[in-house]
Amino acid sequence: MGARAAGRLWWGTVSCTLFLAVNGLYSASDDVIELTPTNFNKEVIQSDSLWLVEFYAPWCGHCQRLTPEWKKAATALKGVVKVGAVDADKHQSLGGQYGVRGFPTIKIFGANKNKAEDYQGGRTSDAIVDAALSALRSLVKDRLSGRSGGYSSGRQSRESGGGDKKDVIELTDDSFDKNVINSDDVWMVEFYAPWCGHCKNLEPEWAAAATEVKEQTKGKVKLAAVDATVNQMLASRYGIRGFPTIKIFQKGEDPVDYDGGRTRSDIVARALDLFSDNAPPPELLEIISEDVLKTTCDAHQLCIISVLPHILDTGASGRNSYLDVMLKMAEKYKKKMWGWLWTEASAQPDLESSLGIGGFGYPAMAAINARKMKFALLKGSFSEQGINEFLRELSVGRGSTAPVGGGAFPKIYTVEPWDGKDGELPVEDDIDLSDVDLDDWDKDEL
């Protein structure tokens, strides 16, 4: 072999070594199991084993220093606790899924694989092994006492129906039409194959989203799943060609494909959009009792309260024009799922005082966050444009706020609801002055 050829061979060997050093800290010969988005669900989430997983970046100095200790710990724990590593610089989506913000980040996946715990111990092999054995001891004790550590999508396959708390509705060829086609609710249906890796990755996100959507829409939007390898009539009817495929079903409309993100938050956001699109506008309620105020404000992130002029000042037509403006704004912002209330000037004086409205300047409007007991006041005109600008600022987190006076809702008086009519001045009693001698009265006064 010539010197030039030998030089090329030497440089090729060095290049390969440098390439491996830069692009990965672990190899197949190590006892550390390399994890990627492709195998993470199968290896970790669907496993009954305890896992310690390091999320690293090859260029990170702290990660490079941890590598020999991590390898030693993996060898010591072999057959007892699984030790893995994720190149989170290469697989950023996987790191992002578990909130990785710095390197190295170590997480412990115990009984509940959907709730990984952060490892906060030392970076030596001894410290890592001690922490692993401690976590393993806790896992075994939980099993002895009958605690499973919560729902895990791992071994609870869709074929076995998951767990009692699972809110994903399983559909079949026989049950689909009865549940979905004839329903007034909105359905998001995942068509999956049990062997599909992407489906397995989606499963915990779909399950978590199903629970959140059920709570936030009061069951009006449902998440379901169809095993398309078993229920082939459905798969054929809806042209399912790949997995997972998600379709949205609404009464009276053709199904449409869901093409959004595959995370819990993406799925929930789309479900809430569907819910608000199909929901009627919020009710506009008059504050006639404490129960009306508290029930509305406690059930919504914000409650929008208007204090309208007295009926004698506006008449029924004037009041209805103000209520129409509020109804239009409630329709416009119904996706926010706020509560909408109104009261007549001076009917709830303590409430006005706590909001700094104070007996003048009607109509007025305040937006109240009952959880924080803070409010913001409409500073512009009580018109569609003025209120829209006010609510738009609130919806993006801007606008000045102040604490509700007294730190809690004040006394609310029980009043009669408005009857929809013009107001009438109170009838004064007639006074008979025929028997009064005004001349004598004048003398007495003098």
Side-chain angles (χ1 to χ4, degrees), residues 101-402:
R101 297 290 182 268
F103 305 115
T105 292
I106 299 171
K107 290 188 177 284
I108 302 172
F109 292 80
N112 187 344
K113 296 297 193 294
N114 291 324
K115 290 187 178 180
E117 299 178 6
D118 289 325
Y119 169 76
Q120 305 286 1
R123 300 298 172 88
T124 66
S125 57
D126 287 342
I128 294 165
V129 168
D130 286 344
L133 295 179
S134 176
L136 184 62
R137 191 176 300 109
S138 296
L139 174 62
V140 172
K141 286 184 177 180
D142 284 345
R143 289 177 178 174
L144 278 173
S145 63
R147 295 194 300 270
S148 64
Y151 168 74
S152 169
S153 65
R155 305 288 289 191
Q156 296 172 321
S157 67
R158 284 172 161 143
E159 290 85 345
S160 64
D164 291 338
K165 297 181 180 179
K166 192 172 183 181
D167 293 308
V168 176
I169 301 168
E170 288 288 335
L171 297 170
T172 66
D173 285 335
D174 295 329
S175 67
F176 189 89
D177 285 1
K178 179 181 178 181
N179 283 283
V180 179
I181 302 303
N182 299 322
S183 174
D184 291 326
D185 299 328
V186 179
W187 288 73
M188 298 177 71
V189 181
E190 175 205 1
F191 294 83
Y192 72 93
W195 45 259
C196 160
H198 292 299
C199 303
K200 293 174 182 176
N201 291 336
L202 174 63
E203 186 177 359
E205 302 294 324
W206 195 248
T211 298
E212 187 170 342
V213 169
K214 182 179 179 180
E215 292 173 354
Q216 293 205 37
T217 69
K218 304 295 188 290
K220 293 298 183 181
V221 179
K222 293 177 168 60
L223 269 62
V226 173
D227 183 343
T229 65
V230 174
N231 302 284
Q232 296 184 9
M233 288 177 56
L234 283 173
S236 176
R237 186 202 299 184
Y238 294 110
I240 306 303
R241 298 288 181 267
F243 306 111
T245 293
I246 300 171
K247 288 186 175 287
I248 298 168
F249 294 82
Q250 301 181 75
K251 191 172 184 179
E253 299 181 18
D254 292 332
V256 296
D257 288 332
Y258 167 78
D259 55 5
R262 300 296 174 87
T263 66
R264 177 199 57 78
S265 58
D266 290 328
I267 297 162
V268 170
R270 184 70 177 100
L272 293 181
D273 279 344
L274 290 166
F275 173 68
S276 59
D277 287 342
N278 288 273
E283 285 188 284
L284 176 55
L285 302 175
E286 183 180 3
I287 303 174
I288 59 173
S289 67
E290 182 179 33
D291 183 63
V292 171
L293 176 71
K294 288 194 172 180
T295 300
T296 302
C297 291
D298 289 345
H300 299 87
Q301 180 190 18
L302 289 179
C303 53
I304 312 300
I305 299 178
S306 291
V307 183
L308 303 182
H310 195 280
I311 191 65
L312 293 176
D313 295 328
T314 63
S317 62
R319 174 166 292 179
N320 282 325
S321 68
Y322 289 131
L323 294 176
D324 284 343
V325 170
M326 288 193 70
L327 287 169
K328 288 179 181 178
M329 292 297 100
E331 170 69 27
K332 183 179 180 68
Y333 287 91
K334 69 177 182 178
K335 289 186 179 182
K336 299 295 183 182
M337 291 183 283
W338 295 335
W340 295 79
L341 300 168
W342 71 277
T343 185
E344 182 178 73
S346 301
Q348 303 296 344
D350 294 346
L351 178 62
E352 290 186 38
S353 177
S354 69
L355 300 176
I357 293 173
F360 62 91
Y362 304 115
M365 176 178 284
I368 302 177
N369 184 323
R371 293 173 181 82
K372 298 181 179 179
M373 274 297 153
K374 290 189 175 182
F375 72 96
L377 281 179
L378 169 68
K379 300 294 178 63
S381 64
F382 197 98
S383 63
E384 288 184 42
Q385 180 179 351
I387 295 173
N388 183 49
E389 291 176 358
F390 171 59
L391 297 180
R392 188 174 58 206
E393 291 289 299
L394 288 179
S395 66
V396 296
R398 293 200 293 263
S400 59
T401 62

